[in-house]
Amino acid sequence: MIPGLQSFPGDVIHSSSYKSGKSYSGMNVLVVGSGNSVMEIAYDLAAHGANTSIIIRSPVCTHIIYYYF
């Protein structure tokens, strides 16, 4: 449980309930997580005009591949 969540006046939904970013146009939206669905949701929200931010609990493992020609 997130402290203060019960008194938060905005919407809180799980990714399984997300349908479209259309109704979030012009709103500030925080997307929590780092999986593929989070990135797709954040992109969709931004594409529909939401002011989108992403937060994750811990660093994301990244793999960098260098190509030398």
Side-chain angles (χ1 to χ4, degrees):
M1 184 53 116
I2 300 170
L5 186 60
Q6 57 274 31
S7 62
F8 177 69
D11 294 338
V12 178
I13 65 168
H14 187 270
S15 61
S16 62
S17 300
Y18 181 83
K19 302 298 179 208
S20 170
K22 191 175 183 179
S23 61
Y24 297 97
S25 179
M27 295 180 161
N28 296 320
V29 181
L30 178 64
V31 184
V32 179
S34 63
N36 290 341
S37 59
V38 168
M39 299 308 163
E40 290 174 9
I41 289 170
Y43 176 80
D44 185 62
L45 286 162
H48 282 92
N51 301 313
T52 309
S53 297
I54 300 171
I55 190 168
I56 58 173
R57 175 176 53 182
S58 57
V60 177
C61 178
T62 59
H63 300 281
I64 300 172
I65 301 173
Y66 294 95
Y67 290 95
Y68 295 96
F69 295 96

Tab-separated table of all heavy atoms in Angstrom:
chain	number	residue	atom	x	y	z
A	1	MET	N	0.840	-1.183	0.000
A	1	MET	CA	0.000	0.000	0.000
A	1	MET	C	0.883	1.244	0.000
A	1	MET	O	1.891	1.294	0.679
A	1	MET	CB	-0.923	-0.019	1.205
A	1	MET	CG	-1.892	1.128	1.239
A	1	MET	SD	-2.856	1.310	-0.250
A	1	MET	CE	-4.472	1.028	0.329
A	2	ILE	N	0.470	2.226	-0.711
A	2	ILE	CA	1.191	3.489	-0.804
A	2	ILE	C	0.563	4.478	0.182
A	2	ILE	O	-0.640	4.745	0.089
A	2	ILE	CB	1.138	4.047	-2.236
A	2	ILE	CG1	1.782	3.056	-3.203
A	2	ILE	CG2	1.811	5.408	-2.305
A	2	ILE	CD1	1.583	3.396	-4.653
A	3	PRO	N	1.362	5.000	1.133
A	3	PRO	CA	0.811	5.959	2.104
A	3	PRO	C	0.158	7.159	1.407
A	3	PRO	O	0.739	7.733	0.489
A	3	PRO	CB	2.031	6.392	2.910
A	3	PRO	CG	3.035	5.306	2.729
A	3	PRO	CD	2.782	4.757	1.353
A	4	GLY	N	-1.032	7.515	1.829
A	4	GLY	CA	-1.739	8.661	1.278
A	4	GLY	C	-2.560	8.366	0.031
A	4	GLY	O	-3.290	9.225	-0.450
A	5	LEU	N	-2.448	7.162	-0.495
A	5	LEU	CA	-3.161	6.832	-1.735
A	5	LEU	C	-4.669	6.943	-1.580
A	5	LEU	O	-5.358	7.412	-2.482
A	5	LEU	CB	-2.780	5.429	-2.207
A	5	LEU	CG	-3.319	4.993	-3.559
A	5	LEU	CD1	-2.825	5.928	-4.666
A	5	LEU	CD2	-2.914	3.568	-3.866
A	6	GLN	N	-5.184	6.563	-0.423
A	6	GLN	CA	-6.629	6.614	-0.212
A	6	GLN	C	-7.186	8.038	-0.246
A	6	GLN	O	-8.360	8.245	-0.522
A	6	GLN	CB	-7.039	5.884	1.081
A	6	GLN	CG	-6.366	6.399	2.326
A	6	GLN	CD	-5.015	5.754	2.591
A	6	GLN	OE1	-4.284	5.372	1.690
A	6	GLN	NE2	-4.657	5.667	3.854
A	7	SER	N	-6.347	9.034	0.015
A	7	SER	CA	-6.820	10.421	-0.026
A	7	SER	C	-6.446	11.124	-1.336
A	7	SER	O	-6.763	12.299	-1.507
A	7	SER	CB	-6.256	11.200	1.165
A	7	SER	OG	-4.841	11.245	1.107
A	8	PHE	N	-5.808	10.415	-2.273
A	8	PHE	CA	-5.453	10.997	-3.569
A	8	PHE	C	-6.723	11.272	-4.369
A	8	PHE	O	-7.560	10.380	-4.545
A	8	PHE	CB	-4.535	10.033	-4.331
A	8	PHE	CG	-4.162	10.508	-5.701
A	8	PHE	CD1	-3.326	11.601	-5.863
A	8	PHE	CD2	-4.638	9.858	-6.830
A	8	PHE	CE1	-2.974	12.043	-7.128
A	8	PHE	CE2	-4.297	10.288	-8.091
A	8	PHE	CZ	-3.461	11.387	-8.249
A	9	PRO	N	-6.910	12.503	-4.862
A	9	PRO	CA	-8.163	12.853	-5.532
A	9	PRO	C	-8.268	12.386	-6.988
A	9	PRO	O	-9.343	12.425	-7.575
A	9	PRO	CB	-8.175	14.384	-5.469
A	9	PRO	CG	-6.735	14.759	-5.451
A	9	PRO	CD	-6.045	13.670	-4.686
A	10	GLY	N	-7.171	11.927	-7.565
A	10	GLY	CA	-7.195	11.516	-8.971
A	10	GLY	C	-7.534	10.046	-9.157
A	10	GLY	O	-7.833	9.327	-8.208
A	11	ASP	N	-7.493	9.617	-10.406
A	11	ASP	CA	-7.742	8.213	-10.735
A	11	ASP	C	-6.490	7.388	-10.469
A	11	ASP	O	-5.371	7.832	-10.732
A	11	ASP	CB	-8.095	8.052	-12.213
A	11	ASP	CG	-9.417	8.698	-12.580
A	11	ASP	OD1	-10.245	8.906	-11.673
A	11	ASP	OD2	-9.618	8.991	-13.773
A	12	VAL	N	-6.677	6.192	-9.995
A	12	VAL	CA	-5.606	5.209	-9.848
A	12	VAL	C	-6.118	3.926	-10.484
A	12	VAL	O	-7.140	3.379	-10.045
A	12	VAL	CB	-5.243	4.955	-8.364
A	12	VAL	CG1	-4.167	3.884	-8.265
A	12	VAL	CG2	-4.799	6.240	-7.691
A	13	ILE	N	-5.447	3.476	-11.544
A	13	ILE	CA	-5.893	2.248	-12.207
A	13	ILE	C	-4.698	1.330	-12.436
A	13	ILE	O	-3.557	1.776	-12.512
A	13	ILE	CB	-6.605	2.525	-13.546
A	13	ILE	CG1	-5.647	3.149	-14.567
A	13	ILE	CG2	-7.831	3.394	-13.346
A	13	ILE	CD1	-6.203	3.163	-15.980
A	14	HIS	N	-4.970	0.053	-12.569
A	14	HIS	CA	-3.961	-0.941	-12.908
A	14	HIS	C	-3.885	-1.028	-14.432
A	14	HIS	O	-4.870	-0.756	-15.125
A	14	HIS	CB	-4.352	-2.302	-12.315
A	14	HIS	CG	-3.293	-3.331	-12.465
A	14	HIS	ND1	-3.215	-4.150	-13.559
A	14	HIS	CD2	-2.256	-3.663	-11.652
A	14	HIS	CE1	-2.176	-4.957	-13.424
A	14	HIS	NE2	-1.578	-4.674	-12.268
A	15	SER	N	-2.749	-1.407	-14.935
A	15	SER	CA	-2.571	-1.485	-16.384
A	15	SER	C	-3.585	-2.419	-17.051
A	15	SER	O	-3.955	-2.203	-18.206
A	15	SER	CB	-1.150	-1.929	-16.734
A	15	SER	OG	-0.896	-3.215	-16.204
A	16	SER	N	-4.061	-3.410	-16.332
A	16	SER	CA	-5.049	-4.336	-16.900
A	16	SER	C	-6.385	-3.653	-17.187
A	16	SER	O	-7.178	-4.149	-17.987
A	16	SER	CB	-5.261	-5.532	-15.976
A	16	SER	OG	-5.775	-5.108	-14.732
A	17	SER	N	-6.625	-2.491	-16.565
A	17	SER	CA	-7.871	-1.737	-16.781
A	17	SER	C	-7.703	-0.620	-17.798
A	17	SER	O	-8.677	0.019	-18.175
A	17	SER	CB	-8.346	-1.124	-15.463
A	17	SER	OG	-8.596	-2.117	-14.516
A	18	TYR	N	-6.463	-0.376	-18.235
A	18	TYR	CA	-6.192	0.730	-19.154
A	18	TYR	C	-6.713	0.405	-20.544
A	18	TYR	O	-6.485	-0.677	-21.068
A	18	TYR	CB	-4.685	0.992	-19.216
A	18	TYR	CG	-4.314	2.134	-20.119
A	18	TYR	CD1	-4.368	3.430	-19.666
A	18	TYR	CD2	-3.921	1.904	-21.427
A	18	TYR	CE1	-4.038	4.493	-20.491
A	18	TYR	CE2	-3.584	2.947	-22.264
A	18	TYR	CZ	-3.643	4.240	-21.797
A	18	TYR	OH	-3.315	5.276	-22.624
A	19	LYS	N	-7.400	1.361	-21.152
A	19	LYS	CA	-7.933	1.176	-22.505
A	19	LYS	C	-7.318	2.149	-23.501
A	19	LYS	O	-6.915	1.758	-24.583
A	19	LYS	CB	-9.458	1.330	-22.513
A	19	LYS	CG	-10.195	0.381	-21.600
A	19	LYS	CD	-9.971	-1.054	-21.985
A	19	LYS	CE	-10.715	-1.975	-21.028
A	19	LYS	NZ	-10.104	-3.266	-20.895
A	20	SER	N	-7.267	3.446	-23.148
A	20	SER	CA	-6.777	4.461	-24.071
A	20	SER	C	-6.405	5.726	-23.309
A	20	SER	O	-6.975	6.011	-22.251
A	20	SER	CB	-7.859	4.805	-25.103
A	20	SER	OG	-7.495	5.936	-25.863
A	21	GLY	N	-5.469	6.474	-23.872
A	21	GLY	CA	-5.066	7.735	-23.271
A	21	GLY	C	-5.955	8.895	-23.654
A	21	GLY	O	-5.749	10.025	-23.219
A	22	LYS	N	-6.970	8.631	-24.450
A	22	LYS	CA	-7.857	9.682	-24.964
A	22	LYS	C	-8.464	10.540	-23.853
A	22	LYS	O	-8.493	11.764	-23.951
A	22	LYS	CB	-8.955	9.037	-25.796
A	22	LYS	CG	-9.792	9.974	-26.588
A	22	LYS	CD	-10.758	9.189	-27.461
A	22	LYS	CE	-11.570	10.105	-28.330
A	22	LYS	NZ	-12.493	9.356	-29.197
A	23	SER	N	-8.906	9.933	-22.781
A	23	SER	CA	-9.573	10.690	-21.704
A	23	SER	C	-8.583	11.398	-20.781
A	23	SER	O	-8.999	12.106	-19.871
A	23	SER	CB	-10.483	9.765	-20.895
A	23	SER	OG	-9.727	8.737	-20.297
A	24	TYR	N	-7.274	11.226	-21.006
A	24	TYR	CA	-6.265	11.850	-20.155
A	24	TYR	C	-5.565	13.028	-20.845
A	24	TYR	O	-4.601	13.568	-20.324
A	24	TYR	CB	-5.224	10.811	-19.726
A	24	TYR	CG	-5.821	9.716	-18.884
A	24	TYR	CD1	-6.195	8.502	-19.451
A	24	TYR	CD2	-6.035	9.898	-17.522
A	24	TYR	CE1	-6.747	7.488	-18.685
A	24	TYR	CE2	-6.599	8.896	-16.747
A	24	TYR	CZ	-6.946	7.698	-17.339
A	24	TYR	OH	-7.505	6.703	-16.579
A	25	SER	N	-6.046	13.437	-21.982
A	25	SER	CA	-5.450	14.550	-22.729
A	25	SER	C	-5.375	15.806	-21.866
A	25	SER	O	-6.353	16.193	-21.223
A	25	SER	CB	-6.280	14.832	-23.982
A	25	SER	OG	-5.728	15.903	-24.700
A	26	GLY	N	-4.188	16.410	-21.798
A	26	GLY	CA	-3.984	17.626	-21.026
A	26	GLY	C	-3.777	17.417	-19.541
A	26	GLY	O	-3.537	18.369	-18.808
A	27	MET	N	-3.869	16.185	-19.072
A	27	MET	CA	-3.697	15.893	-17.651
A	27	MET	C	-2.264	15.483	-17.345
A	27	MET	O	-1.535	15.033	-18.226
A	27	MET	CB	-4.625	14.751	-17.230
A	27	MET	CG	-6.080	15.067	-17.308
A	27	MET	SD	-7.006	13.616	-16.771
A	27	MET	CE	-8.568	14.351	-16.409
A	28	ASN	N	-1.875	15.643	-16.096
A	28	ASN	CA	-0.591	15.135	-15.624
A	28	ASN	C	-0.813	13.690	-15.173
A	28	ASN	O	-1.675	13.435	-14.335
A	28	ASN	CB	-0.076	15.962	-14.445
A	28	ASN	CG	0.216	17.379	-14.855
A	28	ASN	OD1	0.744	17.630	-15.927
A	28	ASN	ND2	-0.133	18.317	-14.005
A	29	VAL	N	-0.040	12.774	-15.751
A	29	VAL	CA	-0.222	11.354	-15.462
A	29	VAL	C	1.113	10.740	-15.060
A	29	VAL	O	2.122	10.941	-15.728
A	29	VAL	CB	-0.784	10.600	-16.694
A	29	VAL	CG1	-0.996	9.133	-16.376
A	29	VAL	CG2	-2.082	11.228	-17.176
A	30	LEU	N	1.112	9.995	-13.968
A	30	LEU	CA	2.294	9.269	-13.519
A	30	LEU	C	2.064	7.788	-13.765
A	30	LEU	O	1.075	7.218	-13.309
A	30	LEU	CB	2.544	9.504	-12.027
A	30	LEU	CG	3.725	8.747	-11.423
A	30	LEU	CD1	5.039	9.210	-12.051
A	30	LEU	CD2	3.745	8.937	-9.912
A	31	VAL	N	2.970	7.177	-14.513
A	31	VAL	CA	2.898	5.750	-14.800
A	31	VAL	C	3.993	5.084	-13.973
A	31	VAL	O	5.150	5.470	-14.040
A	31	VAL	CB	3.092	5.467	-16.304
A	31	VAL	CG1	2.907	3.991	-16.591
A	31	VAL	CG2	2.127	6.298	-17.141
A	32	VAL	N	3.629	4.083	-13.184
A	32	VAL	CA	4.568	3.442	-12.267
A	32	VAL	C	4.949	2.063	-12.795
A	32	VAL	O	4.079	1.240	-13.052
A	32	VAL	CB	3.953	3.308	-10.855
A	32	VAL	CG1	4.922	2.629	-9.909
A	32	VAL	CG2	3.531	4.669	-10.327
A	33	GLY	N	6.256	1.824	-12.940
A	33	GLY	CA	6.750	0.527	-13.379
A	33	GLY	C	7.787	0.670	-14.468
A	33	GLY	O	8.190	1.777	-14.826
A	34	SER	N	8.231	-0.477	-14.998
A	34	SER	CA	9.247	-0.418	-16.046
A	34	SER	C	9.087	-1.523	-17.084
A	34	SER	O	9.954	-1.711	-17.917
A	34	SER	CB	10.649	-0.508	-15.422
A	34	SER	OG	10.803	-1.752	-14.772
A	35	GLY	N	8.003	-2.245	-17.060
A	35	GLY	CA	7.788	-3.325	-18.023
A	35	GLY	C	7.313	-2.804	-19.368
A	35	GLY	O	7.097	-1.603	-19.567
A	36	ASN	N	7.153	-3.722	-20.304
A	36	ASN	CA	6.709	-3.359	-21.646
A	36	ASN	C	5.363	-2.661	-21.640
A	36	ASN	O	5.161	-1.672	-22.349
A	36	ASN	CB	6.633	-4.604	-22.534
A	36	ASN	CG	7.989	-5.155	-22.861
A	36	ASN	OD1	8.991	-4.468	-22.748
A	36	ASN	ND2	8.033	-6.416	-23.250
A	37	SER	N	4.419	-3.149	-20.841
A	37	SER	CA	3.087	-2.540	-20.824
A	37	SER	C	3.154	-1.103	-20.314
A	37	SER	O	2.450	-0.219	-20.816
A	37	SER	CB	2.108	-3.363	-19.985
A	37	SER	OG	2.562	-3.474	-18.658
A	38	VAL	N	4.024	-0.835	-19.340
A	38	VAL	CA	4.178	0.527	-18.822
A	38	VAL	C	4.683	1.463	-19.912
A	38	VAL	O	4.179	2.574	-20.074
A	38	VAL	CB	5.124	0.540	-17.606
A	38	VAL	CG1	5.525	1.946	-17.230
A	38	VAL	CG2	4.476	-0.149	-16.438
A	39	MET	N	5.658	1.014	-20.665
A	39	MET	CA	6.217	1.850	-21.731
A	39	MET	C	5.189	2.093	-22.831
A	39	MET	O	5.077	3.194	-23.359
A	39	MET	CB	7.484	1.219	-22.303
A	39	MET	CG	8.582	1.039	-21.299
A	39	MET	SD	8.964	2.573	-20.407
A	39	MET	CE	9.860	1.931	-19.015
A	40	GLU	N	4.412	1.077	-23.160
A	40	GLU	CA	3.371	1.239	-24.182
A	40	GLU	C	2.276	2.182	-23.703
A	40	GLU	O	1.780	3.014	-24.466
A	40	GLU	CB	2.782	-0.119	-24.549
A	40	GLU	CG	3.761	-0.993	-25.312
A	40	GLU	CD	3.232	-2.390	-25.560
A	40	GLU	OE1	2.038	-2.657	-25.290
A	40	GLU	OE2	4.028	-3.222	-26.020
A	41	ILE	N	1.892	2.077	-22.443
A	41	ILE	CA	0.869	2.958	-21.876
A	41	ILE	C	1.373	4.395	-21.829
A	41	ILE	O	0.655	5.325	-22.206
A	41	ILE	CB	0.436	2.470	-20.481
A	41	ILE	CG1	-0.385	1.185	-20.623
A	41	ILE	CG2	-0.341	3.553	-19.731
A	41	ILE	CD1	-0.670	0.482	-19.314
A	42	ALA	N	2.613	4.593	-21.384
A	42	ALA	CA	3.182	5.943	-21.317
A	42	ALA	C	3.239	6.568	-22.713
A	42	ALA	O	2.922	7.747	-22.880
A	42	ALA	CB	4.572	5.908	-20.691
A	43	TYR	N	3.617	5.789	-23.702
A	43	TYR	CA	3.667	6.289	-25.076
A	43	TYR	C	2.264	6.668	-25.559
A	43	TYR	O	2.065	7.732	-26.149
A	43	TYR	CB	4.280	5.238	-26.003
A	43	TYR	CG	4.259	5.673	-27.442
A	43	TYR	CD1	5.216	6.556	-27.931
A	43	TYR	CD2	3.262	5.237	-28.301
A	43	TYR	CE1	5.187	6.979	-29.247
A	43	TYR	CE2	3.223	5.652	-29.616
A	43	TYR	CZ	4.192	6.524	-30.083
A	43	TYR	OH	4.147	6.943	-31.397
A	44	ASP	N	1.289	5.811	-25.306
A	44	ASP	CA	-0.084	6.082	-25.726
A	44	ASP	C	-0.628	7.337	-25.055
A	44	ASP	O	-1.279	8.167	-25.703
A	44	ASP	CB	-0.973	4.880	-25.416
A	44	ASP	CG	-2.387	5.058	-25.933
A	44	ASP	OD1	-2.558	5.189	-27.166
A	44	ASP	OD2	-3.328	5.084	-25.112
A	45	LEU	N	-0.346	7.495	-23.772
A	45	LEU	CA	-0.786	8.693	-23.047
A	45	LEU	C	-0.183	9.951	-23.672
A	45	LEU	O	-0.889	10.935	-23.920
A	45	LEU	CB	-0.391	8.601	-21.577
A	45	LEU	CG	-1.209	7.643	-20.722
A	45	LEU	CD1	-0.474	7.301	-19.440
A	45	LEU	CD2	-2.580	8.236	-20.434
A	46	ALA	N	1.125	9.915	-23.929
A	46	ALA	CA	1.793	11.070	-24.533
A	46	ALA	C	1.247	11.354	-25.923
A	46	ALA	O	1.049	12.515	-26.293
A	46	ALA	CB	3.299	10.823	-24.584
A	47	ALA	N	0.979	10.310	-26.686
A	47	ALA	CA	0.424	10.484	-28.032
A	47	ALA	C	-0.966	11.111	-28.001
A	47	ALA	O	-1.381	11.763	-28.962
A	47	ALA	CB	0.377	9.137	-28.756
A	48	HIS	N	-1.678	10.944	-26.890
A	48	HIS	CA	-3.004	11.548	-26.729
A	48	HIS	C	-2.950	12.886	-25.994
A	48	HIS	O	-3.982	13.425	-25.592
A	48	HIS	CB	-3.949	10.587	-26.000
A	48	HIS	CG	-4.481	9.509	-26.879
A	48	HIS	ND1	-3.878	8.277	-27.006
A	48	HIS	CD2	-5.555	9.483	-27.697
A	48	HIS	CE1	-4.560	7.542	-27.857
A	48	HIS	NE2	-5.587	8.253	-28.291
A	49	GLY	N	-1.758	13.424	-25.781
A	49	GLY	CA	-1.632	14.765	-25.217
A	49	GLY	C	-1.548	14.849	-23.708
A	49	GLY	O	-1.680	15.930	-23.140
A	50	ALA	N	-1.332	13.723	-23.031
A	50	ALA	CA	-1.168	13.766	-21.575
A	50	ALA	C	0.267	14.170	-21.243
A	50	ALA	O	1.193	13.887	-22.009
A	50	ALA	CB	-1.476	12.405	-20.962
A	51	ASN	N	0.462	14.839	-20.135
A	51	ASN	CA	1.803	15.180	-19.634
A	51	ASN	C	2.249	13.978	-18.809
A	51	ASN	O	1.872	13.822	-17.657
A	51	ASN	CB	1.748	16.444	-18.768
A	51	ASN	CG	1.203	17.614	-19.551
A	51	ASN	OD1	1.620	17.864	-20.668
A	51	ASN	ND2	0.234	18.305	-18.976
A	52	THR	N	3.026	13.113	-19.431
A	52	THR	CA	3.321	11.798	-18.875
A	52	THR	C	4.693	11.733	-18.225
A	52	THR	O	5.679	12.181	-18.787
A	52	THR	CB	3.243	10.737	-19.995
A	52	THR	OG1	2.008	10.881	-20.677
A	52	THR	CG2	3.351	9.343	-19.434
A	53	SER	N	4.741	11.149	-17.027
A	53	SER	CA	5.994	10.864	-16.327
A	53	SER	C	5.995	9.390	-15.954
A	53	SER	O	4.937	8.793	-15.742
A	53	SER	CB	6.119	11.696	-15.050
A	53	SER	OG	6.163	13.068	-15.359
A	54	ILE	N	7.203	8.814	-15.882
A	54	ILE	CA	7.350	7.413	-15.501
A	54	ILE	C	8.247	7.356	-14.277
A	54	ILE	O	9.257	8.056	-14.207
A	54	ILE	CB	7.982	6.588	-16.635
A	54	ILE	CG1	7.129	6.642	-17.896
A	54	ILE	CG2	8.189	5.135	-16.198
A	54	ILE	CD1	7.793	6.022	-19.105
A	55	ILE	N	7.890	6.514	-13.310
A	55	ILE	CA	8.735	6.298	-12.145
A	55	ILE	C	8.887	4.789	-11.946
A	55	ILE	O	7.952	4.032	-12.180
A	55	ILE	CB	8.153	6.973	-10.880
A	55	ILE	CG1	9.156	6.934	-9.746
A	55	ILE	CG2	6.850	6.346	-10.486
A	55	ILE	CD1	8.791	7.814	-8.574
A	56	ILE	N	10.102	4.393	-11.560
A	56	ILE	CA	10.357	2.981	-11.307
A	56	ILE	C	10.947	2.814	-9.915
A	56	ILE	O	11.519	3.742	-9.355
A	56	ILE	CB	11.297	2.368	-12.366
A	56	ILE	CG1	12.632	3.102	-12.409
A	56	ILE	CG2	10.635	2.386	-13.726
A	56	ILE	CD1	13.655	2.465	-13.308
A	57	ARG	N	10.821	1.632	-9.367
A	57	ARG	CA	11.282	1.361	-8.015
A	57	ARG	C	12.798	1.226	-7.929
A	57	ARG	O	13.416	1.639	-6.970
A	57	ARG	CB	10.600	0.086	-7.515
A	57	ARG	CG	11.074	-0.382	-6.179
A	57	ARG	CD	10.320	-1.576	-5.692
A	57	ARG	NE	10.313	-2.646	-6.681
A	57	ARG	CZ	9.681	-3.793	-6.527
A	57	ARG	NH1	8.991	-4.011	-5.440
A	57	ARG	NH2	9.719	-4.723	-7.444
A	58	SER	N	13.402	0.609	-8.924
A	58	SER	CA	14.848	0.400	-8.908
A	58	SER	C	15.403	0.581	-10.317
A	58	SER	O	14.647	0.610	-11.281
A	58	SER	CB	15.173	-0.989	-8.367
A	58	SER	OG	14.529	-1.974	-9.147
A	59	PRO	N	16.715	0.702	-10.455
A	59	PRO	CA	17.301	0.910	-11.787
A	59	PRO	C	16.903	-0.189	-12.765
A	59	PRO	O	16.776	-1.351	-12.387
A	59	PRO	CB	18.806	0.877	-11.530
A	59	PRO	CG	18.962	1.188	-10.090
A	59	PRO	CD	17.731	0.649	-9.410
A	60	VAL	N	16.735	0.218	-14.005
A	60	VAL	CA	16.400	-0.719	-15.074
A	60	VAL	C	17.700	-1.255	-15.650
A	60	VAL	O	18.628	-0.499	-15.919
A	60	VAL	CB	15.574	-0.021	-16.180
A	60	VAL	CG1	15.294	-0.974	-17.324
A	60	VAL	CG2	14.285	0.526	-15.607
A	61	CYS	N	17.764	-2.540	-15.828
A	61	CYS	CA	18.945	-3.151	-16.430
A	61	CYS	C	18.962	-2.806	-17.914
A	61	CYS	O	17.979	-3.017	-18.625
A	61	CYS	CB	18.898	-4.659	-16.240
A	61	CYS	SG	20.280	-5.506	-16.982
A	62	THR	N	20.036	-2.234	-18.368
A	62	THR	CA	20.137	-1.884	-19.788
A	62	THR	C	21.319	-2.621	-20.397
A	62	THR	O	22.327	-2.857	-19.746
A	62	THR	CB	20.323	-0.377	-19.994
A	62	THR	OG1	21.518	0.021	-19.317
A	62	THR	CG2	19.138	0.398	-19.482
A	63	HIS	N	21.159	-2.985	-21.620
A	63	HIS	CA	22.219	-3.651	-22.361
A	63	HIS	C	22.566	-2.759	-23.554
A	63	HIS	O	21.692	-2.408	-24.326
A	63	HIS	CB	21.767	-5.025	-22.849
A	63	HIS	CG	21.391	-5.933	-21.723
A	63	HIS	ND1	22.321	-6.591	-20.964
A	63	HIS	CD2	20.190	-6.264	-21.199
A	63	HIS	CE1	21.713	-7.314	-20.051
A	63	HIS	NE2	20.410	-7.119	-20.151
A	64	ILE	N	23.809	-2.398	-23.660
A	64	ILE	CA	24.248	-1.550	-24.754
A	64	ILE	C	25.120	-2.385	-25.677
A	64	ILE	O	26.064	-3.041	-25.224
A	64	ILE	CB	25.045	-0.330	-24.236
A	64	ILE	CG1	24.157	0.490	-23.297
A	64	ILE	CG2	25.556	0.512	-25.398
A	64	ILE	CD1	24.888	1.603	-22.585
A	65	ILE	N	24.796	-2.384	-26.935
A	65	ILE	CA	25.570	-3.112	-27.926
A	65	ILE	C	26.245	-2.096	-28.819
A	65	ILE	O	25.586	-1.223	-29.396
A	65	ILE	CB	24.667	-4.040	-28.755
A	65	ILE	CG1	23.959	-5.035	-27.830
A	65	ILE	CG2	25.479	-4.764	-29.825
A	65	ILE	CD1	22.915	-5.879	-28.514
A	66	TYR	N	27.545	-2.196	-28.930
A	66	TYR	CA	28.305	-1.282	-29.768
A	66	TYR	C	28.626	-1.968	-31.083
A	66	TYR	O	29.077	-3.124	-31.101
A	66	TYR	CB	29.608	-0.873	-29.077
A	66	TYR	CG	29.385	-0.050	-27.833
A	66	TYR	CD1	29.354	-0.649	-26.591
A	66	TYR	CD2	29.186	1.305	-27.928
A	66	TYR	CE1	29.139	0.095	-25.446
A	66	TYR	CE2	28.960	2.068	-26.792
A	66	TYR	CZ	28.931	1.450	-25.560
A	66	TYR	OH	28.720	2.198	-24.421
A	67	TYR	N	28.410	-1.279	-32.172
A	67	TYR	CA	28.737	-1.802	-33.492
A	67	TYR	C	29.858	-0.952	-34.058
A	67	TYR	O	29.763	0.272	-34.106
A	67	TYR	CB	27.527	-1.727	-34.427
A	67	TYR	CG	26.431	-2.694	-34.049
A	67	TYR	CD1	25.373	-2.266	-33.240
A	67	TYR	CD2	26.457	-4.005	-34.464
A	67	TYR	CE1	24.378	-3.144	-32.884
A	67	TYR	CE2	25.466	-4.891	-34.107
A	67	TYR	CZ	24.418	-4.448	-33.313
A	67	TYR	OH	23.437	-5.321	-32.958
A	68	TYR	N	30.904	-1.590	-34.474
A	68	TYR	CA	32.035	-0.883	-35.089
A	68	TYR	C	32.092	-1.261	-36.547
A	68	TYR	O	32.082	-2.430	-36.916
A	68	TYR	CB	33.352	-1.272	-34.399
A	68	TYR	CG	33.415	-0.842	-32.969
A	68	TYR	CD1	33.093	-1.709	-31.940
A	68	TYR	CD2	33.771	0.455	-32.638
A	68	TYR	CE1	33.123	-1.309	-30.625
A	68	TYR	CE2	33.807	0.870	-31.320
A	68	TYR	CZ	33.487	-0.021	-30.318
A	68	TYR	OH	33.525	0.380	-29.014
A	69	PHE	N	32.129	-0.268	-37.407
A	69	PHE	CA	32.195	-0.514	-38.854
A	69	PHE	C	33.508	-0.050	-39.402
A	69	PHE	O	34.120	0.850	-38.961
A	69	PHE	CB	31.052	0.224	-39.570
A	69	PHE	CG	29.716	-0.290	-39.178
A	69	PHE	CD1	28.976	0.327	-38.193
A	69	PHE	CD2	29.193	-1.426	-39.793
A	69	PHE	CE1	27.732	-0.149	-37.832
A	69	PHE	CE2	27.950	-1.899	-39.425
A	69	PHE	CZ	27.219	-1.260	-38.450
